[in-house]
Each structure stands twice: as structure tokens, then as C-alpha cells.
Amino acid sequence: QVQLVESGGGLVQAGGSLRLSCAASGRTFSSYAMGWFRQAPGKDRELVATINWSASNTYYADSVKGRFTISRDNAKNTVYLQMNSLKPEDTAVYYCAADTTGWARYNYWGQGTQVTVSS
């Protein structure tokens, strides 16, 4: 079992920055990959970024590439999403998720944190 708790969301003006955090507990954090997803009102949930267990491999959606950075601190059981140059279209509920299957199937989810970017 893995429990995930996100924090760091809020309201920011376009061009600003936010850093999301996701604290994990339960299963050994350094043994599984993590991802950030988001869901805007009326839209499907989309994958934003992923990071493998050792942080040696990351992936970004084209829409955030060059602006967002995913990282993890295995000593603190925490994954981060640094979001820079935010745009109004980044407005969404952001979720962190854990893939303990090893098959890119995210089977544990946090409760989500709202990010709102004003124009």
C-alpha cells in the first residue's frame, strides 16, 4: 500500500511559478516510479511528467516540456513538480501517482491539488 499527499497548489499569475510536492508513505519509495497528472474542467486526465525510481529517466508531455521539471528525493519520500512560465491553460487539478507494478500502470493516487493560473 502507498499513501500519497500532494501540496503546493494555489493561484498564480501567468508567467509565474509553483512547486508541487507529493509525500509518499507505505511501501519503500525508492522502489517505484512516480508521475504527475492533471485534469482540467471538462477535459480528460492527462499525463504531465514521470520519473523512474532512481531519477535517471524522466518523461514530459510536449505541452510542459522546457517549463516543468519533475524530481524526487528518495531520502524524503517526496516527488516534486517545479512549474515555471505558467500559462492559463495549465489550470487544472494536479495529481501525483505511484506505479508499483513496474508496467507504467499508476495504481496509487493522491487526492489532488488545485493549480489556477490567471491571465
Side-chain angles (χ1 to χ4, degrees), residues 32-110:
Y32 51 85
M34 294 292 297
W36 285 97
F37 295 75
R38 67 185 181 187
Q39 186 165 22
K43 294 189 177 182
D44 293 334
R45 185 175 61 197
E46 65 170 333
L47 176 63
V48 175
T50 66
I51 188 166
N52 72 336
W53 67 274
S54 65
S56 62
N57 197 4
T58 59
Y59 164 85
Y60 297 94
D62 287 343
S63 57
V64 306
K65 204 171 291 184
R67 300 188 298 122
F68 290 12
T69 303
I70 189 170
S71 62
R72 67 189 295 160
D73 185 337
N74 287 345
K76 295 183 178 180
N77 292 353
T78 302
V79 63
Y80 305 96
L81 186 68
Q82 177 67 44
M83 306 185 293
N84 298 330
S85 303
L86 282 161
K87 304 175 182 180
E89 51 264 43
D90 294 318
T91 295
V93 178
Y94 283 72
Y95 300 90
C96 69
D99 167 26
T100 64
T101 70
W103 293 93
R105 294 174 184 169
Y106 290 84
N107 51 335
Y108 293 98
W109 294 81

Side-chain angles (χ1 to χ4, degrees), residues 4-28:
L4 303 171
V5 179
E6 301 100 334
S7 61
L11 173 64
V12 64
Q13 288 188 333
S17 298
L18 281 175
R19 187 175 82 155
L20 305 183
S21 299
C22 174
S25 60
R27 187 167 167 171
T28 304

